[in-house]
Amino acid sequence: MLTLEQVSKTFFPGTANEKQALRQVNLQLDDGDFVTVIGSNGAGKSTLFNAIAGTFVTDGGRITLDGVDMVPLKEHRRARYIGRLFQDPMKGTAPSMTVEENLALAYSRGKKRGFSLGLPKKDAAVFRELLATLGLGLEDRMKAKVGLLSGGQRQTVTLLMAVINTPRLLLLDEHTAALDPATADKVMTITREMVARNRITTLMITHNLNDALAIGNRTVMMDEGRVILDLKGEERDRLTVDRLLALYSRESRKQFDNDRVLLSTAKDGGRAEKD
C-alpha cells in the first residue's frame, strides 16, 4: 500500500522563480491498484513521481510504502522498493552493456552476491525464459549491446529490468510516449501483462486520455500540484473523454491546455474502449 499525506514541494522558494509544485497531496493506493495519472502541462505529475522516488527532499508530508517510511531514504535506497520507467528509452539501461548484463544488474539489486567472472548459467536461463515471453526475439539477442536495440526493444528491456525482482511499486512516466504508435501499443500490452501477472501496484502517467480511462482500475487527475479527481468503479467506467474534460473544467474552472493530450484523443472520437 502506498500512502501520501500532505506532501508538499516548492522549488526556488522566496525568489522570482518560486514554484509551488505539490500542494499538500493526499493519495492512497491499495495493493494491486493500477492508477493512470493525467493532467495538463505543469500539473505536477512528474514532480509527484520524483517525490515518491526520492529525487528530491519534500518540504513536508509523509510517504509510506507497505508501512516503510520513504521520506528518510535516499533515492538509491528507495530503488530497492520502487521500479521506474521514463519517457526516454535511453534512460534506465547501460547502452554499452549487453542485454543479459543489464538484466543481471537489475536481478542482483539488493542481493548479496559473491565475486563471479561471468553470468551464472541458471540466471542466463531465467533471463532467456523471461525475454521469450515478450515475443520480440530478444532471447536470441542476449549478447547484443542494449544501445543497438530499437527504442521499443530497449524500453521493453528496461521494463523487464524494473520488474524482474517484483517491486512494491512501479512508476511509469509516459514510458510509451517516445515510441511510434505500433511499438507503443506493443510495449503497453507487455506492460499490462507484466503488471497483471505479478499484481504490481502501479502509477502510470499518460498523455492519452483514452488510455487513461481504458487501462488500470483508477484514474487520477492533477492540476497545479493538487489531485482534483480520483475516479474509479462505475463512475470511471461510465466516463468518456468529453465527460472527463468537462469534469476537469468544473473542478479547475479552466480548460485543459495540453495540446498533445487533445490531439491524442481526436482519432478516437473522444471515447475510451474499456477493458
Side-chain angles (χ1 to χ4, degrees):
M1 178 185 293
L2 173 70
T3 302
L4 282 74
E5 300 174 90
Q6 302 289 299
V7 175
S8 300
K9 179 63 180 180
T10 299
F11 294 105
F12 312 112
T15 72
N17 296 320
E18 180 173 313
K19 169 67 175 179
Q20 193 170 0
L22 296 176
R23 302 169 185 261
Q24 298 182 324
V25 173
N26 294 300
L27 183 65
Q28 180 170 306
L29 272 65
D30 293 328
D31 291 343
D33 271 348
F34 191 152
V35 182
T36 55
V37 182
I38 54 177
S40 57
N41 293 328
K45 306 182 296 297
S46 290
T47 305
L48 176 67
F49 276 28
N50 287 336
I52 295 170
T55 305
F56 52 70
V57 178
T58 53
D59 298 333
R62 288 173 49 84
I63 302 173
T64 57
L65 182 58
D66 290 347
V68 178
D69 185 1
M70 293 284 108
V71 174
L73 302 182
K74 300 291 186 181
E75 186 173 13
H76 71 278
R77 292 286 303 280
R78 297 191 199 189
R80 298 179 182 178
Y81 306 95
I82 300 171
R84 187 174 185 182
L85 266 72
F86 298 87
Q87 178 177 333
D88 184 358
M90 300 298 286
K91 287 187 176 181
T93 56
S96 62
M97 297 175 66
T98 66
V99 171
E100 66 178 10
E101 288 171 340
N102 273 273
L103 291 174
L105 284 176
Y107 195 49
S108 63
R109 187 180 298 134
K111 299 178 180 178
K112 292 183 178 180
R113 287 178 171 260
F115 177 76
S116 175
L117 292 176
L119 182 68
K121 288 184 178 180
K122 61 183 179 64
D123 288 357
V126 169
F127 301 159
R128 179 175 293 278
E129 183 177 349
L130 289 172
L131 289 167
T133 66
L134 304 178
L136 299 175
L138 288 171
E139 67 274 16
D140 298 321
R141 300 194 64 188
M142 289 177 57
K143 300 293 185 181
K145 292 185 177 181
V146 171
L148 299 178
L149 302 180
S150 68
Q153 290 173 325
R154 183 165 184 163
Q155 196 69 305
T156 305
V157 171
T158 308
L159 174 63
L160 185 54
M161 290 172 64
V163 303
I164 196 166
N165 294 315
T166 306
R168 298 185 184 183
L169 177 68
L170 180 62
L171 302 177
L172 304 172
D173 194 345
E174 293 196 84
H175 71 300
T176 64
L179 307 175
D180 65 82
T183 304
D185 286 345
K186 178 65 174 177
V187 172
M188 186 60 72
T189 297
I190 293 171
T191 300
R192 295 167 79 169
E193 290 172 351
M194 285 188 175
V195 168
R197 186 184 307 126
N198 298 289
R199 203 170 181 271
I200 302 171
T201 305
T202 303
L203 279 167
M204 183 182 80
I205 296 173
T206 178
H207 64 271
N208 189 309
L209 298 186
N210 290 287
D211 284 350
L213 294 178
I215 295 172
N217 65 309
R218 287 172 62 186
T219 298
V220 165
M221 178 172 274
M222 297 187 67
D223 181 65
E224 296 184 352
R226 299 173 296 122
V227 172
I228 62 170
L229 291 172
D230 187 350
L231 306 163
K232 53 189 172 182
E234 291 185 4
E235 180 184 21
R236 181 180 187 257
D237 292 340
R238 291 194 301 265
L239 276 180
T240 63
V241 169
D242 288 341
R243 291 174 183 168
L244 178 60
L245 292 173
L247 280 175
Y248 171 82
S249 296
R250 186 188 73 188
E251 296 297 325
S252 66
R253 299 184 180 180
K254 59 187 178 184
Q255 296 297 311
F256 209 97
D257 64 356
N258 189 331
D259 291 338
R260 189 158 60 108
V261 169
L262 296 177
L263 286 170
S264 73
T265 65
K267 64 179 180 180
D268 299 308
R271 288 189 174 274
E273 180 182 352
K274 304 296 181 184
D275 283 334

